[in-house]
């Protein structure tokens, strides 16, 4: 049986940030904790949100790291409780939004955060007592504003997923204006994250035709506009389409992801300084080549359909096109250029095999398969 949910309220438009105060009132937040990071604050986006809230009481946690950690979740949850907050406004990229989801759990549930991790069997322990969340993305990549999951590095160093319908934001405020002027490298890396979400969801094994349709349209938008958004940070049409593609990738990936994310999650735990979207861009070509041998991918012509959405002639063009796009976006040439070492492979593979995305791939990877993918991505 397929369970299909779509998904939450989304306010999408240039200027949608202006709905923040009304949305706080709608979901019953009288004193939200704003979870963000130093970069968003420095860019003036935190102040813009505060200006919209006006005299409404609030508290701020602006120390989200580039990859959210359990320590950051604890620190923010402490502020939440000390300030008597009753909801969370997540303002930032995927890291801030995922951190906010961790806070929503930690501030309302007992025990260490890993208790609630998906691979620890913790999803059913996340209850409706979670703090309500309003999510405002400032990048176009993860789509966490409409997702039921969060990725957090827990105290033992593992990068784990947390999944529950209870942590889906009550409202996603998607305002492309907040991404205008985003630096080119961050635009490119987060944009390839959105591409990866759309492609990997479309290849994933579970049955969910609505997700497939949303992912394929999102891929079309992302592929057509990522270079424009990277080249000209103030291209409004490109920014709008990239934010939509990001949102669509996450609306779709409730279906499942696969080996790209198994590897990226694991490697991101081994070295938290590595950017998740960039890792996805490095792994996509080799995982697509591996998935070409999957029966479901062949039967439903999934590679051919993605190639058509991207304006390519043949399915065999997918991997080279992504590699060429990475080069045009000035992303690294491979994992080695990012500082990844072959000596890390055993740890990466162990984590990938345990990751919640591993079994969603249309073709189940072995230890040797993952090692071959890592070698190819170097």
């Amino acid at each position: 049986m397929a369970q299909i949910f779509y998904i939450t309220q989304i306010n999408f438009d240039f200027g949608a940030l202006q709905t923040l105060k009304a949305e706080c009132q709608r979901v019953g937040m009288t004193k939200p904790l704003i979870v963000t990071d130093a970069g968003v604050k420095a860019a003036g986006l935190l102040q813009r949100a505060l200006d919209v809230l006006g005299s409404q009481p609030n508290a701020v946690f602006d120390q989200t790291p580039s990859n959210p950690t359990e320590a950051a979740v604890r620190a923010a949850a402490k502020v939440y409780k000390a300030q008597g907050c009753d909801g969370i406004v997540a303002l930032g990229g995927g890291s801030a939004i995922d951190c906010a989801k961790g806070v929503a759990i930690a501030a309302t549930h007992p025990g260490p955060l890993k208790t609630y991790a998906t691979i620890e069997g913790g999803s059913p322990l996340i209850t409706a007592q979670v703090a309500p969340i309003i999510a405002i993305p400032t990048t176009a990549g993860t789509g966490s504003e409409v997702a039921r999951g969060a990725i957090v590095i827990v105290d033992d160093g593992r990068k784990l997923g947390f999944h529950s319908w209870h942590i889906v934001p009550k409202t996603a405020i998607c305002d492309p204006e907040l991404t205008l002027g985003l630096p080119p490298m961050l635009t490119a890396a987060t944009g390839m994250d959105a591409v990866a979400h759309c492609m990997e969801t479309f290849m994933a094994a579970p049955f969910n035709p609505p997700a497939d349709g949303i992912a394929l349209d999102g891929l079309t938008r992302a592929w057509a506009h990522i270079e424009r958004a990277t080249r000209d940070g103030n291209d409004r049409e490109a920014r709008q389409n990239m934010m939509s593609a990001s949102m669509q990738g996450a609306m779709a990936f409730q279906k499942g992801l696969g080996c790209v994310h198994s590897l990226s999650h694991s490697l991101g735990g081994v070295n938290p300084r590595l950017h998740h979207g960039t890792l996805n861009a490095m792994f996509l070509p080799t995982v697509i080549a591996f998935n070409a041998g999957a029966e479901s991918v062949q039967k439903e012509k999934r590679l051919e359909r993605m190639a058509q959405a991207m304006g390519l002639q043949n399915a065999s063009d997918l991997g080279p096109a992504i590699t060429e796009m990475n080069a045009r976006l000035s992303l690294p040439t491979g994992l080695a250029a990012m500082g990844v070492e072959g000596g890390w492979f055993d740890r990466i593979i162990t984590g990938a095999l345990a990751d919640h995305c591993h079994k969603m791939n249309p073709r189940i990877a072995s230890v040797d398969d993952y090692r071959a993918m890592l070698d190819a991505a170097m």
Side-chain angles (χ1 to χ4, degrees):
M1 177 180 69
Q3 291 185 310
I4 302 171
F5 298 86
Y6 285 96
I7 287 177
T8 191
Q9 176 169 319
I10 302 166
N11 297 350
F12 192 115
D13 200 1
F14 287 92
L17 179 63
Q18 298 302 315
T19 67
L20 174 57
K21 187 170 184 177
E23 288 305 312
C24 286
Q25 294 170 348
R26 185 181 69 84
V27 303
M29 288 188 201
T30 61
K31 188 175 184 180
L33 172 67
I34 302 175
V35 175
T36 188
D37 61 49
V40 171
K41 181 179 180 179
L45 302 182
L46 171 60
Q47 188 58 53
R48 288 172 66 176
L50 292 172
D51 289 345
V52 173
L53 289 175
S55 60
Q56 178 171 334
N58 64 78
V60 174
F61 177 81
D62 60 8
Q63 297 302 308
T64 302
S66 58
N67 280 286
T69 62
E70 186 172 356
V73 167
R74 273 198 306 273
K78 184 176 180 180
V79 176
Y80 182 96
K81 293 177 181 178
Q83 295 294 321
C85 297
D86 57 5
I88 301 170
V89 171
L91 176 68
S95 295
I97 298 173
D98 281 6
C99 185
K101 292 176 180 178
V103 177
I105 299 169
T108 54
H109 291 66
L113 192 61
K114 71 176 182 180
T115 305
Y116 305 95
T118 302
I119 66 170
E120 299 285 344
S123 293
L125 302 178
I126 302 172
T127 73
Q129 297 303 309
V130 296
I133 303 167
I134 295 171
I136 309 171
T138 61
T139 63
T142 70
S144 189
E145 68 273 9
V146 294
R148 75 186 192 279
I151 305 295
V152 178
I153 300 174
V154 297
D155 287 341
D156 63 16
R158 291 179 296 164
K159 194 170 188 178
L160 300 184
F162 299 79
H163 296 84
S164 170
W165 292 108
H166 295 304
I167 61 172
V168 175
K170 302 298 184 185
T171 309
I173 298 176
C174 295
D175 186 343
E177 191 170 303
L178 302 181
T179 67
L180 295 177
L182 195 70
M185 191 56 65
L186 192 56
T187 299
T190 56
M192 285 305 296
D193 196 17
V195 169
H197 290 158
C198 292
M199 297 187 79
E200 194 164 34
T201 285
F202 191 69
M203 292 184 288
F207 179 80
N208 192 328
D212 289 341
I214 292 170
L216 209 57
D217 182 81
L219 175 59
T220 301
R221 294 175 186 276
W223 194 255
H225 292 92
I226 188 171
E227 283 187 272
R228 282 175 52 183
T230 301
R231 184 172 59 250
D232 178 3
N234 290 305
D235 184 326
R236 293 172 69 86
E237 182 182 17
R239 290 297 189 185
Q240 182 181 44
N241 277 279
M242 288 307 300
M243 180 158 276
S244 183
S246 174
M247 175 191 71
Q248 289 174 251
M251 290 176 75
F253 71 41
Q254 61 163 298
K255 173 189 171 188
L257 290 165
C259 290
V260 170
H261 280 75
S262 297
L263 288 164
S264 292
H265 291 158
S266 182
L267 181 47
V270 172
N271 185 346
R273 294 188 299 275
L274 298 175
H275 187 272
H276 174 71
T278 307
L279 290 176
N280 285 344
M282 301 300 102
F283 285 127
L284 262 176
T286 185
V287 173
I288 290 171
F290 176 72
N291 285 349
E295 181 180 354
S296 62
V297 169
Q298 293 177 346
K299 180 180 178 180
E300 299 181 19
K301 299 186 181 301
R302 292 194 175 268
L303 300 191
E304 289 84 355
R305 291 161 71 187
M306 288 194 300
Q308 183 180 26
M310 296 161 67
L312 305 175
Q313 293 297 314
N314 301 295
S316 59
D317 296 331
L318 285 170
I322 292 166
T323 299
E324 292 166 10
M325 178 67 81
N326 289 339
R328 293 199 300 273
L329 297 175
S330 299
L331 292 174
T333 55
L335 297 178
M338 298 176 70
V340 176
E341 301 173 10
W344 301 356
F345 281 13
D346 287 345
R347 291 170 62 196
I348 298 167
I349 293 167
T350 297
L353 289 166
D355 190 79
H356 63 275
C357 295
H358 167 66
K359 292 184 179 179
M360 297 294 102
N361 204 66
R363 181 182 174 194
I364 300 301
S366 67
V367 170
D368 289 342
D369 291 330
Y370 274 130
R371 193 174 300 279
M373 291 182 219
L374 286 163
D375 280 330
M378 287 293 281

